[in-house]
Amino acid sequence: MITLTERQSLILKAIVRDYTEGGTPVGSKSLVQELPMKVSSATIRNEMARLEDLGLIVKTHLSSGRIPSIKGYRYYVDHILTPEKVDNRDLKVIQHSLGGEFHKIDEIVAQSADILSQLTSYTTFTLRPELKDSRLSGFRLVPLGNHQVMAILVTNNGDVENQTFTIPNDLSGDELEPVVRFIDDQLIGLPLQDVLAKLQKEIPLKLAHYLQNPDGFLAIFGSVLSKAASERFYVGGKLNLFNYTSLQDPKEMRSLYSLLDQTDNLANVIGTPGQHIQVRIGNEITNDLLKDYSLITATYDVDQHGQGIIALLGPTAMPYSRMIGLMGAFQRELARKLLDYYRYFDE
Amino acid sequence: MITLTERQSLILKAIVRDYTEGGTPVGSKSLVQELPMKVSSATIRNEMARLEDLGLIVKTHLSSGRIPSIKGYRYYVDHILTPEKVDNRDLKVIQHSLGGEFHKIDEIVAQSADILSQLTSYTTFTLRPELKDSRLSGFRLVPLGNHQVMAILVTNNGDVENQTFTIPNDLSGDELEPVVRFIDDQLIGLPLQDVLAKLQKEIPLKLAHYLQNPDGFLAIFGSVLSKAASERFYVGGKLNLFNYTSLQDPKEMRSLYSLLDQTDNLANVIGTPGQHIQVRIGNEITNDLLKDYSLITATYDVDQHGQGIIALLGPTAMPYSRMIGLMGAFQRELARKLLDYYRYFDE
DNA sequence: TTTTAGCACTTAACTTAATGGAGTGCTAAC
DNA sequence: GTTAGCACTCCATTAAGTTAAGTGCTAAAA
């Protein structure tokens, strides 16, 4: 367990601040000017040597200034940093852009990602509150003529998922009606997870009473269901990659773009955030592509409706203090907005 | 009007080929080796000087090899190039990937863009056949409970457009039923364009019989309608920008990405392709951002269902011969597949 | 009249050398 | 424990030199 003196702590803090703002290694001379204590650069140098021994700062070459190491950022985030109060103007932006009327949870969550990435110039992922509490509240099949049928699934949160299918010739719309009624009787009100489970076990057998060949129908129902039940991240500010990636290696950026395009990957990247706001720096992120970046994840609670995630990807040299402040603001505002939304549909 | 001798033509052709393949300026010595005639490099140099006088090739500096000018590419495309027969393997890929079952025209068209960009490593836009022939064949409002209604619009081509709305408290699902019947009576069978026109003139008056405040409903209907009637390009192979853009200027790539993200811009970029396959090179493209690239556009005919567009964006130094061959293949295969599709729904 | 060999000349790209600036570690004195 | 002083290191930038590819031109050959 590392413990720093007051002075060392101030020096580390200044190095982190200067480097995240200026982007160039920080030397003893520039530090001596901005630090509140009146000591010489040689003293600072001695302290810096000690910080380096502890592994908190490193040199880029033998005679360069220092930059924080991953361990240094870690210490800074854990022990030194205080979250910055969110700028009043930023807060206005957040509240205003979440103030409008939304028709889907996904829209709210996506909007949040876009705003956060705009405020930070970084890249954002958001995940809606967990669906484990989501229940099936309606299922419809609407014949559209021309062999086509639209399947619509509604959850108790007001989420709607739909898909259009071409049905085989030997299956008329009328024939499906009792099936829908059967589904309604058996499955309405159940959590989506349970529906998914039943769909694989009991339903196929019982469905045989109504249809000779229930496979086609099950495929339809399963497809819409899994679309509604799957965890999909929304990614905002992809173009901001141009702001903070190295640009030296186009291959890397390309890989990052691909990673962000496949939203199902992101669950692995983000993992299961335990604490409320979690900062992972450099190689602390399990994905190798992101070993030179930092990831801040926050969960937000929407009471009995579960938790959602909002995450921020940026350079390791990011202004953590401001970022964590912002994440906190989103945690609160997003939870509030979603509670409003649910209340509307729960009434 | 420029006329080249046989020999000059061969030289220009070789320069274009070498440069599009190798990417480096072409000198007289390397030309003399691969050209079928037996002359010295000095002779080639004389001819090259003449081609330069004509503005068909240029030097990158006073003593460099030559690269084709835009005028040179133009001449090559117009007078020298013969479309390359599509590689058998490529054709297989195309046919196989369009051979599956599709549920929407948009899916077919999007798939084509993806395949083309994969085969070329460039970027592709596709536009579905014009919608002016598209007619309204069904309109539904499905109440989902909880103040929500899904509006579904179906066209005679089997295209389905839908959107979910929150309805005001003072409007129940039942009240909307006569409205839908009214819509069905008045508008079914009309081209979408006409529907759009009527929506602005006659309908609001007549609708007043059924609803005190028809504005809300009209907004819903209009929104779904315009979604169905709008021209939306699908863009494939955005990541391929990394393959052929300069990478020197990250700002430029960022702008390009933005351009491709706003699909409504693309109509202006592509313009109205007149001929069957049109090649626009460098500053011949009206958009300034694309002045260093080439754009090949092709229209494909789907008989009475109108024309669609497929377009390819790449570097000016692209292998035009192969590309034009590929575009031709897509013209044919796409028309064929879509005719199949329409036939299925027309029967 | 066209083609060719020969040669002086140009330029980009690469290598090497020189210089200045920022910063460090260490020592000896305060 | 702190400081001044100094030798040392390394990056970044500039300058100079070298090479390879290619050109245009001239005068002779075909």
Side-chain angles (χ1 to χ4, degrees):
Chain A
M1 174 64 189
I2 297 174
T3 322
L4 299 186
T5 66
E6 179 83 3
R7 191 164 72 183
Q8 288 167 340
S9 192
L10 278 173
I11 291 175
L12 177 57
K13 185 175 179 182
I15 291 176
V16 170
R17 177 160 45 76
D18 285 11
Y19 184 61
T20 52
E21 281 173 14
T24 49
V26 188
S28 53
K29 271 189 194 154
S30 59
L31 279 175
V32 85
Q33 284 176 16
E34 62 189 289
L35 281 172
M37 48 215 156
K38 39 185 197 298
V39 290
S40 75
S41 66
T43 308
I44 303 288
R45 275 204 292 285
N46 288 333
E47 292 285 39
M48 285 167 92
R50 234 160 293 157
L51 288 175
E52 187 170 10
D53 287 343
L54 292 170
L56 299 177
I57 55 180
V58 291
K59 291 186 273 208
T60 61
H61 59 86
L62 210 74
S63 72
S64 76
R66 306 302 212 295
I67 65 174
S69 68
I70 290 184
K71 205 171 163 191
Y73 284 123
R74 182 81 269 156
Y75 187 94
Y76 169 78
V77 169
D78 289 343
H79 301 108
I80 301 181
L81 162 157
T82 54
E84 193 172 297
K85 197 168 169 308
V86 176
D87 181 293
N88 221 308
R89 198 146 30 90
D90 289 351
L91 195 60
K92 281 266 168 55
V93 171
I94 297 171
Q95 287 171 342
H96 181 261
S97 57
L98 288 183
E101 197 176 317
F102 293 91
H103 299 295
K104 283 188 173 187
I105 291 182
D106 290 332
E107 284 176 18
I108 299 173
V109 168
Q111 172 82 337
S112 304
D114 285 333
I115 301 301
L116 180 58
S117 62
Q118 195 187 305
L119 289 175
T120 59
S121 302
Y122 300 146
T123 306
T124 320
F125 327 129
T126 49
L127 182 67
R128 40 170 305 165
E130 287 176 48
L131 298 154
K132 61 181 171 210
D133 186 64
S134 209
R135 288 160 191 280
L136 183 66
S137 81
F139 180 69
R140 306 281 168 79
L141 287 178
V142 183
L144 303 172
N146 290 330
H147 312 286
Q148 289 198 110
V149 173
M150 176 178 282
I152 307 175
L153 182 152
V154 189
T155 74
N156 63 327
N157 301 323
D159 282 311
V160 180
E161 203 58 69
N162 71 279
Q163 201 162 335
T164 312
F165 291 89
T166 312
I167 54 173
N169 286 322
D170 59 340
L171 207 63
S172 85
D174 293 345
E175 280 181 84
L176 287 172
E177 206 170 309
V179 179
V180 173
R181 221 173 301 132
F182 168 75
I183 294 284
D184 279 358
D185 286 350
Q186 297 284 314
L187 301 176
I188 293 286
L190 295 180
L192 288 187
Q193 300 301 333
D194 293 1
V195 175
L196 214 49
K198 280 207 172 184
L199 188 64
Q200 285 158 354
K201 288 182 218 157
E202 307 165 33
I203 304 296
L205 298 175
K206 293 187 183 167
L207 212 55
H209 294 291
Y210 302 93
L211 295 168
Q212 299 100 316
N213 179 10
D215 289 349
F217 171 79
L218 286 172
I220 295 176
F221 187 64
S223 164
V224 185
L225 182 63
S226 64
K227 225 164 120 190
S230 68
E231 293 194 333
R232 282 156 302 161
F233 281 89
Y234 175 84
V235 180
K238 269 187 231 173
L239 282 180
N240 286 342
L241 279 173
F242 287 99
N243 293 337
Y244 63 87
T245 54
S246 73
L247 298 171
Q248 303 306 329
D249 184 2
K251 241 179 161 178
E252 183 185 328
M253 178 135 57
R254 204 191 161 139
S255 312
L256 283 175
Y257 248 98
S258 296
L259 179 69
L260 299 183
D261 272 345
Q262 300 176 327
T263 52
D264 41 333
N265 282 348
L266 295 179
N268 298 328
V269 172
I270 291 189
T272 326
Q275 304 144 28
H276 254 31
I277 293 188
Q278 191 178 2
V279 180
R280 256 166 300 172
I281 302 156
N283 58 23
E284 294 172 5
I285 311 173
T286 47
N287 190 306
D288 244 25
L289 269 175
L290 302 178
K291 70 182 192 323
D292 294 326
Y293 301 94
S294 273
L295 185 66
I296 306 182
T297 51
T299 56
Y300 55 92
D301 274 306
V302 197
D303 287 1
Q304 79 275 24
H305 301 285
Q307 300 185 313
I309 299 176
I310 182 161
L312 184 63
L313 178 70
T316 47
M318 63 162 75
Y320 290 96
S321 157
R322 171 162 179 256
M323 294 302 133
I324 289 177
L326 272 175
M327 294 295 273
F330 269 92
Q331 257 183 337
R332 287 188 297 276
E333 297 300 327
L334 202 43
R336 178 142 59 125
K337 178 71 188 180
L338 286 178
L339 275 178
D340 269 10
Y341 184 89
Y342 283 122
R343 198 169 302 128
Y344 186 62
F345 286 108
D346 283 351
E347 75 189 9
Chain B
M1 176 63 190
I2 297 173
T3 321
L4 299 186
T5 67
E6 178 81 5
R7 190 166 71 184
Q8 288 166 342
S9 192
L10 278 173
I11 291 175
L12 178 57
K13 186 175 178 180
I15 291 176
V16 169
R17 177 161 45 74
D18 284 12
Y19 184 61
T20 53
E21 280 173 13
T24 49
V26 187
S28 53
K29 271 188 194 154
S30 60
L31 279 175
V32 85
Q33 284 177 16
E34 62 189 292
L35 282 173
M37 48 213 156
K38 40 187 196 302
V39 292
S40 76
S41 67
T43 309
I44 303 288
R45 275 205 292 284
N46 288 333
E47 293 284 38
M48 285 167 93
R50 234 160 292 158
L51 288 175
E52 188 171 9
D53 288 342
L54 292 170
L56 298 177
I57 57 180
V58 292
K59 292 186 274 210
T60 62
H61 60 84
L62 211 74
S63 72
S64 75
R66 306 302 212 296
I67 66 175
S69 67
I70 290 184
K71 203 172 164 188
Y73 283 124
R74 182 82 269 157
Y75 186 94
Y76 169 77
V77 168
D78 291 341
H79 300 110
I80 300 180
L81 163 157
T82 54
E84 192 172 296
K85 196 166 169 312
V86 176
D87 181 293
N88 221 308
R89 199 147 29 91
D90 289 351
L91 195 59
K92 280 266 167 55
V93 171
I94 298 171
Q95 286 170 342
H96 181 260
S97 57
L98 288 183
E101 196 176 317
F102 293 92
H103 299 294
K104 282 190 173 188
I105 291 183
D106 290 332
E107 283 176 18
I108 299 173
V109 168
Q111 172 83 336
S112 303
D114 285 333
I115 301 301
L116 180 58
S117 63
Q118 196 187 304
L119 290 175
T120 59
S121 301
Y122 299 146
T123 306
T124 320
F125 326 130
T126 48
L127 182 66
R128 40 169 306 165
E130 287 176 47
L131 298 154
K132 61 182 170 210
D133 186 64
S134 207
R135 288 160 191 279
L136 183 66
S137 81
F139 180 69
R140 305 282 168 79
L141 287 178
V142 182
L144 303 172
N146 291 330
H147 311 287
Q148 288 197 111
V149 173
M150 176 180 283
I152 307 174
L153 181 153
V154 190
T155 74
N156 62 326
N157 301 324
D159 282 310
V160 180
E161 203 59 69
N162 72 279
Q163 200 163 336
T164 313
F165 291 89
T166 312
I167 56 173
N169 286 322
D170 59 339
L171 207 63
S172 84
D174 294 344
E175 281 180 82
L176 286 173
E177 203 171 310
V179 179
V180 173
R181 220 173 302 130
F182 168 75
I183 294 284
D184 278 359
D185 286 350
Q186 297 284 314
L187 301 176
I188 294 285
L190 295 180
L192 288 186
Q193 300 301 331
D194 294 2
V195 175
L196 215 49
K198 280 206 172 183
L199 189 65
Q200 287 157 353
K201 288 183 214 154
E202 306 165 33
I203 304 295
L205 298 175
K206 293 186 181 168
L207 212 55
H209 293 292
Y210 303 92
L211 295 168
Q212 299 99 316
N213 180 11
D215 290 349
F217 171 78
L218 286 173
I220 296 175
F221 187 65
S223 164
V224 185
L225 182 63
S226 64
K227 224 164 121 191
S230 68
E231 293 193 334
R232 282 156 302 161
F233 281 89
Y234 176 84
V235 180
K238 270 189 230 173
L239 282 180
N240 286 341
L241 279 173
F242 288 98
N243 293 336
Y244 63 88
T245 54
S246 74
L247 297 171
Q248 304 306 332
D249 184 3
K251 242 181 163 178
E252 183 186 328
M253 178 135 56
R254 205 190 160 140
S255 310
L256 283 175
Y257 249 97
S258 295
L259 178 69
L260 299 183
D261 272 346
Q262 300 176 326
T263 52
D264 40 335
N265 283 348
L266 295 179
N268 299 326
V269 172
I270 291 189
T272 328
Q275 304 144 28
H276 254 31
I277 294 188
Q278 191 178 0
V279 180
R280 255 166 302 173
I281 302 155
N283 58 23
E284 294 171 5
I285 311 174
T286 48
N287 190 307
D288 245 24
L289 269 174
L290 302 178
K291 70 182 190 327
D292 294 326
Y293 301 94
S294 275
L295 185 66
I296 306 183
T297 51
T299 56
Y300 55 91
D301 275 305
V302 197
D303 288 2
Q304 77 276 22
H305 300 285
Q307 299 184 314
I309 300 176
I310 182 162
L312 184 64
L313 178 70
T316 48
M318 62 162 76
Y320 290 97
S321 158
R322 169 160 181 257
M323 294 302 133
I324 290 177
L326 271 175
M327 293 295 272
F330 270 91
Q331 260 182 336
R332 287 188 299 276
E333 296 301 327
L334 201 43
R336 179 141 60 124
K337 178 70 185 178
L338 286 178
L339 275 178
D340 269 8
Y341 185 88
Y342 281 121
R343 199 171 301 127
Y344 185 63
F345 285 108
D346 283 350
E347 74 190 9

